Amino acid sequence: MSKQQSGATQRRQLLALGAAMALLPAASVRAQGWPAKPLTMVVPWPPGGPSDIAARPLAKGLQEVLGQTVIVENKAGAGGNLGTAGVVQAAADGHTLLVTSSAPIVINPSLYKKMAFDPAKDLIPVTNVLRMPLVLVTHPGLGVNDVAALMAQIRSKPDGMVIANSGNGTPQHLTAELFMDAAKLKLSHVPYKGSAPAIADLLAGHVPMMFDSLAAIMPHIKSGRVKPLAVTASKRSPLMPNVPTMAEAGVQGVESYAWYGCFVKAGTPPAVVEQLNAAAIKVMKAPEFQKVLADTGSDYVGDTPANFAQFVKAEAVKWDRLVKLSGATIE
């Protein structure tokens, strides 16, 4: 072969290689430069709430792993819908993250008559971040020491009893619905604007019982101002090894968690989603985040985007049934 023919052959090979590279998925190319700027982590809840327990350690860890600033932005309103809608409206480039509780993802679509987004279509699940069980607690003045005694007292009241919750459609409210359905009980809900005012009235004895997350109620359990009767997990909490699960207490089917997950806008390149997932898992396995899990009685639930997506779908079906059972709606 002559030098001229050899050169022509090389040029054809280079052109063919260039054409093949052009056919590669855009995600693979774009992911190489991600993250190209600071990331914004939107938390659609007020500062200092349970979502911050998940978001802020995750943001700190991602900043170290990715080498980019991660800004946490609390954007509360409309039961988590306001901040979530902001993420849906952002660019699908992986630089805007959503870290939220389950409400705007799997509860609000059944609860709100109108929403500005569809979480199933407009968001991509990245990973579950943490999952903490709820605990059924009572005021000590109620005089019950276990779930069986509580149920007996509820059934003995002709006018029924009340149960506090942190707002209509919240996991606390719907877990109480799950309990009522499983145990065939009738309770009247007293909704509050968040856990704090509900807990305040429970401590004061104005309401006799409620379900709440371990992170929110644990200080009052430790002080003896409320009495824990059962956790809504599949196993006992290491923070309260003497407190049974609902199943152990004799009520089957009351398994419920306050979970927090990371999402990005639909259309984000798959390679970016995979890189973000890998970075998040690395953070969550580190000692600093493991301490957060231990302190809040949470489970480690880091997972692949595909597995987390399946979990989210199952949760949506579960909570849709309970929203309909409760009859709760929000305009």
Side-chain angles (χ1 to χ4, degrees):
M1 181 183 295
S2 68
K3 290 183 178 180
Q4 186 175 3
Q5 289 174 322
S6 177
T9 300
Q10 288 178 347
R11 284 194 296 274
R12 284 195 297 271
Q13 289 173 339
L14 288 171
L15 286 171
L17 179 61
M21 290 294 290
L23 294 174
L24 286 174
S28 299
V29 178
R30 290 176 65 186
Q32 292 174 7
W34 179 89
K37 59 182 180 179
L39 281 70
T40 299
M41 180 180 287
V42 176
V43 179
W45 305 99
S51 290
D52 270 8
I53 294 173
R56 294 191 179 271
L58 180 62
K60 182 177 181 292
L62 286 176
Q63 188 164 287
E64 296 169 359
V65 171
L66 297 174
Q68 279 284 4
T69 301
V70 181
I71 302 164
V72 178
E73 181 181 299
N74 291 89
K75 193 173 182 181
N81 288 349
L82 183 63
T84 303
V87 174
V88 169
Q89 293 160 8
D93 59 7
H95 289 93
T96 303
L97 319 179
L98 173 72
V99 174
T100 181
S101 67
S102 58
I105 308 299
V106 297
I107 295 176
N108 291 359
S110 301
L111 184 65
Y112 282 75
K113 290 187 175 180
K114 291 183 180 179
M115 287 178 56
F117 61 92
D118 180 347
K121 295 179 180 179
D122 297 331
L123 293 167
I124 296 175
V126 177
T127 182
N128 212 327
V129 178
L130 61 78
R131 183 182 73 171
M132 66 179 77
L134 305 185
V135 56
L136 173 60
V137 294
T138 61
H139 187 274
L142 197 60
V144 297
N145 295 315
D146 54 43
V147 174
L150 175 64
M151 292 192 297
Q153 188 167 144
I154 293 170
R155 292 187 174 111
S156 72
K157 304 285 185 182
D159 298 326
M161 292 176 66
V162 299
I163 184 166
N165 66 59
S166 57
N168 284 326
T170 59
Q172 291 86 340
H173 168 209
L174 297 178
T175 299
E177 285 286 346
L178 190 60
F179 173 52
M180 290 162 56
D181 184 49
K184 308 305 177 190
L185 297 172
K186 180 62 179 176
L187 291 165
S188 298
H189 289 285
V190 180
Y192 289 80
K193 293 183 178 180
S195 284
I199 291 172
D201 267 12
L202 176 65
L203 297 177
H206 300 315
V207 289
M209 72 188 98
M210 70 180 293
F211 284 91
D212 211 343
S213 69
L214 280 175
I217 203 69
M218 183 54 71
H220 308 296
I221 292 174
K222 288 181 177 178
S223 71
R225 299 183 69 190
V226 299
K227 182 173 291 187
L229 299 188
V231 293
T232 63
S234 60
K235 59 183 180 181
R236 297 190 182 198
S237 168
L239 297 180
M240 303 183 302
N242 295 325
V243 176
T245 66
M246 290 295 293
E248 289 174 333
V251 185
Q252 303 296 323
V254 185
E255 190 171 332
S256 175
Y257 299 87
W259 59 261
Y260 303 85
C262 179
F263 300 81
V264 290
K265 182 179 178 177
T268 299
V272 170
V273 176
E274 292 295 335
Q275 287 187 33
L276 176 57
N277 173 269
I281 297 297
K282 185 174 182 179
V283 171
M284 292 156 59
K285 286 183 176 179
E288 187 171 351
F289 199 90
Q290 289 294 309
K291 185 177 186 303
V292 172
L293 299 179
D295 290 346
T296 57
S298 302
D299 297 332
Y300 171 75
V301 286
D303 209 344
T304 65
N307 285 348
F308 184 36
Q310 288 301 117
F311 170 79
V312 169
K313 286 181 181 178
E315 284 285 285
V317 172
K318 171 183 177 179
W319 294 118
D320 177 65
R321 182 183 79 85
L322 289 165
V323 169
K324 289 174 180 174
L325 187 66
S326 74
T329 59
I330 297 178
E331 295 290 343

